[in-house]
Amino acid sequence: MTGYVERELTTQDWADAEVVWDFHQLHHELVPCSAALVLGGNDIGVASFAADLYHRSLFPVMVVSGGKNPATEKIFPRGEAEHFREVALACGVPDEAILLEPNARNTGDNIVLSREVFAAAGVRPTSLLLIAMPYMERRAYATCRRQWPEVDPRCASAPVVLSEYVKTIGPAAEVVDMMIGDMERVMRYPELRFAIAQDVPEAALAAYSRLVERGFTSRMLRA
């Protein structure tokens, strides 16, 4: 991430961020799936993690999804999918196992456009491993359940704690902003029919509310 003015997190901010971080992760058991969908974003580590799961024989083919996005164009000028594909290839995933979806601009696009890419390639998954950033798991799952109800989705992200994650992707305050933005969408998108509804524990909602009050709001929806 670039161009973000860092701010210090208080002890309470960190505690609340940990609660929100845990809420976003679904801790699905990793089992073999028909295919995988690698969702783009600002974390290139998602691509290498996807490669690792491929080498563990968890799926035979993947779609790497993500277009040019104002939030990531400085680090991925050719588009998220192109850069993620290059990393997967460098990690030993064969070219024939990677399908490219280069136009998605949001999570809904990731699902809908990747479904079209699979179909064009003659791949019709019955189960799908969604590989994403750790704080994107829940929204990816909820979106997939709404936008592609015929497939059985599972989520996976690199096993890392928040304090270590921000060292590789930071600044910490921007990561918190992004987690808050994703949580808002988890709660609001069902009414717009973008995603299925998810239960939100009281502790997670309280942590979210405190962080919003503290100003971690740059990635929230605008009215």
Side-chain angles (χ1 to χ4, degrees):
M1 301 178 190
T2 57
Y4 189 84
V5 178
E6 177 64 299
R7 56 184 289 194
E8 292 295 326
L9 272 66
T10 67
T11 300
Q12 184 64 59
D13 293 338
W14 275 111
D16 288 335
E18 291 280 4
V19 173
V20 174
W21 172 264
D22 290 341
F23 169 75
H24 281 306
Q25 296 179 64
L26 298 174
H27 305 292
H28 286 164
E29 180 184 0
L30 293 181
V31 298
C33 292
S34 304
L37 168 52
V38 183
L39 291 89
N42 64 316
D43 181 3
I44 196 65
V46 173
S48 55
F49 181 64
D52 176 63
L53 298 184
Y54 173 83
H55 291 304
R56 289 161 59 180
S57 300
L58 286 171
F59 51 86
V61 61
M62 69 173 82
V63 165
V64 180
S65 174
K68 292 185 178 180
N69 189 313
T72 59
E73 63 183 355
K74 289 185 178 180
I75 52 177
F76 303 134
R78 296 187 303 282
E80 295 164 359
E82 290 283 358
H83 288 266
F84 278 40
R85 175 181 174 274
E86 290 172 2
V87 170
L89 290 170
C91 291
V93 179
D95 184 63
E96 61 269 21
I98 306 173
L99 303 173
L100 199 66
E101 187 295 294
N103 299 309
R105 296 177 62 85
N106 55 55
T107 306
D109 283 353
N110 288 140
I111 303 299
V112 173
L113 298 180
S114 294
R115 180 178 59 191
E116 295 173 359
V117 170
F118 277 126
V123 178
R124 288 173 171 75
T126 56
S127 57
L128 187 66
L129 188 60
L130 301 170
I131 306 173
M133 297 178 288
Y135 62 81
M136 194 178 178
E137 278 195 27
R138 187 174 293 274
R139 182 153 69 102
Y141 175 80
T143 304
C144 187
R145 288 287 308 278
R146 171 66 73 180
Q147 304 297 335
W148 197 353
E150 300 83 8
V151 77
D152 177 24
R154 288 179 174 265
C155 291
S157 62
V160 60
V161 298
L162 177 59
S163 59
E164 292 299 317
Y165 188 73
V166 298
K167 292 178 182 179
T168 62
I169 198 68
E174 188 172 5
V175 174
V176 175
D177 278 7
M178 296 181 75
M179 290 196 297
I180 290 299
D182 265 50
M183 187 165 173
E184 180 191 28
R185 287 160 176 78
V186 166
M187 294 187 291
R188 289 187 57 185
Y189 276 3
E191 65 189 52
L192 300 175
R193 302 188 66 81
F194 294 162
I196 65 166
Q198 300 279 283
D199 291 332
V200 182
E202 290 185 9
L205 184 58
Y208 166 88
S209 298
R210 283 190 294 267
L211 289 168
V212 170
E213 290 175 0
R214 284 273 294 143
F216 295 94
T217 59
S218 72
R219 297 306 179 100
M220 294 185 73
L221 298 168
R222 303 304 175 192

